[in-house]
Amino acid sequence: MTASSYDVAVVGGGPGGSSTATFLANGGLRVALFEREVFPRFHVGESLMPAVMLLLEQLGAREAVERAGFQVKYGAMFVDEETELSQTFYFLPGQPWPDYSYQVPRADFDTMLLDHARARGVTVYQPATVETAGIDAAGVTVTAATAEAPVVVRARMLVDASGRDGFLASRTGRRARIPNLGKVALFSHFRGADRLTGKEEGNIRIYVFDAGWFWWIPLAGDLTSIGAVVHAKTVRAWTGSPEELYADMIRRCKSVAAGLAHAQRVTPVHRAANFSYANSPVIGDRFVAVGDAIMFVDPIFSGGVYIAMRSGQLAAEAILQAFRDGRFQASRFAAYERRVRRGVAPLFRFIHKYYEPAFFDLFMHPRNYLGVYTAVLNVLSGGSFIKMTWRTRLSLAIFFGLARVHTWLRRRAGLPIESRLEW
Ligand SMILES: Cc1cc2nc3c(=O)[nH]c(=O)nc-3n(C[C@H](O)[C@H](O)[C@H](O)COP(=O)(O)OP(=O)(O)OC[C@H]3O[C@@H](n4cnc5c(N)ncnc54)[C@H](O)[C@@H]3O)c2cc1C
């Protein structure tokens, strides 16, 4: 069998894979992308950060997304069911990204991005499941199973954008679970759920309750995505079906139950377990990983799609440079890996801290003391992965410092301080 020849082979056609492929094709490389599923296909992860809009612009796909009729999202509402405290954050104007984003059925959004990659010249094999990728000194040989004969492709670089499958890590590396984030998500779509009006209509809502938290994502066309993120021990203790557990969680979270009182579930209940992990290696001779193939930490701040697309952009920059220099050793991609880790660090710190009552308290009572509020919104919009000014860093340091003082005050007052991650 003769192998077709490309510059880069990409495994996976989610937002990470299609963005990397488009940026590479825009840079003049010949790219082959393999996607296992027929699109449109269901995927979790529907709420986008505003900085996604900047990437869509740079990809040349923003106009098409703006015209697609997705639900606009201007902010996020956090509700503590225990204290009935609620706080809405609106994305700030005057940033390098707009003050809004979209809530998207991923089936449609991912199809648009993959079609856009095709339109930019990427060769898409679909449905085609990559089974082997042999890396040698001169390049990589990729074999994919399709409905007809297997496809063999020869390329000079490989991009692993296979998402949670972690194509390379599961074959040649390892996956480390992240302690205490062993949660289970149960989710589906409803029709006829309560709807806010005006600017609030598209806000994502996060309801924190005793067994975990819910996302409430209003989609266009009267659809609402409702997801329960439940502590693993609640799931272990449950003897019924996942559907019954999901219904029970809805009953236990009164705001969600009230909002769904007249709604109908219109999709099956999907399940994702133990979704927090870090894969290795992230780079190597002639390969880089992007998006969920690197790691995934927790969806509380809706960062996954943005991280996948932004890491795709940075990976493409590193690969284009490697082609210019004609050198593809792992050391060429070390700066890419550092950049990704630095970019996601503030967001991951927020995610871990979010579960601490002292931090959550401050988060729910925001004040723009020394730019703290602006800095928090910068991170929640995806800005920490673009450029962190010294002012933003300082404001975040102040915020985390205040959280430490608050923990100390709570301890003295005999209030709970342990992370909700330990529940
Ligand atoms: C419970 C939960 C809620 C979430 N909520 C949000 C949210 O609100 N907002 C947000 O931004 N993110 C959210 N995320 C995260 C988001 O879903 C992911 O971060 C995002 O999809 C990552 O994109 P990706 O391109 O890296 O991977 P994916 O989107 O998973 O794409 C990988 C693709 O690779 C294909 N593939 C895999 N193996 C092969 C193979 N061997 N050959 C060919 N193709 C292959 C798969 O079919 C898939 O289409 C959530 C995640 C979870 C678990």
Side-chain angles (χ1 to χ4, degrees), residues 135-296:
I135 298 174
D136 55 58
V140 49
T141 303
V142 173
T143 313
T146 70
E148 294 99 39
V151 173
V152 182
V153 153
R154 184 78 184 151
R156 292 168 76 196
M157 272 292 300
L158 180 73
V159 175
D160 182 359
S162 61
R164 292 164 55 75
D165 280 47
F167 178 84
L168 283 174
S170 62
R171 284 163 177 79
T172 59
R174 64 185 208 98
R175 164 170 301 203
R177 297 248 168 261
I178 299 178
N180 295 338
L181 281 168
K183 301 200 188 311
V184 177
L186 298 163
F187 43 96
S188 68
H189 287 174
F190 285 77
R191 207 172 278 289
D194 264 7
R195 211 89 189 166
L196 298 172
T197 51
K199 211 177 168 184
E200 287 186 295
E201 180 177 4
N203 289 353
I204 184 172
R205 301 185 226 164
I206 304 288
Y207 295 96
V208 179
F209 72 118
D210 61 349
W213 59 272
F214 267 95
W215 76 71
W216 179 296
I217 300 177
L219 299 164
D222 193 32
L223 277 184
T224 306
S225 169
I226 304 287
V229 178
V230 183
H231 304 298
K233 72 177 178 205
T234 309
V235 180
R236 279 196 297 272
W238 185 258
T239 52
S241 69
E243 287 77 12
E244 286 163 342
L245 175 60
Y246 182 63
D248 190 57
M249 291 298 113
I250 292 174
R251 268 193 299 276
R252 270 169 74 169
C253 188
K254 6 182 227 318
S255 312
V256 172
L260 293 178
H262 305 291
Q264 294 250 306
R265 179 158 67 76
V266 292
T267 65
V269 177
H270 299 272
R271 185 170 187 270
N274 273 329
F275 40 73
S276 298
Y277 58 83
N279 285 339
S280 59
V282 169
I283 56 163
D285 291 347
R286 295 190 180 272
F287 85 81
V288 298
V290 304
D292 277 11
I294 303 177
M295 66 185 126
F296 185 69

Side-chain angles (χ1 to χ4, degrees), residues 11-17 34-37 39 41 43-49 106 110 128-131 161-165 167 171 185 187 204 215 217 229 272 275 290-293 296 299 302-306 308:
V11 186
F34 298 85
E35 170 52 53
R36 184 178 55 200
E37 310 284 335
F39 279 14
R41 54 96 175 89
H43 200 296
V44 71
E46 297 147 322
S47 195
L48 304 182
M49 280 183 161
R106 286 284 302 280
D110 290 12
T129 305
V130 176
E131 292 188 323
S162 61
R164 292 164 55 75
D165 280 47
F167 178 84
R171 284 163 177 79
F187 43 96
I204 184 172
W215 76 71
I217 300 177
V229 178
F275 40 73
V290 304
D292 277 11
F296 185 69
S302 309
V305 170
Y306 176 66

Side-chain angles (χ1 to χ4, degrees), residues 16-29:
S18 43
S19 301
T20 315
T22 303
F23 281 123
L24 289 171
N26 287 352
L29 296 186

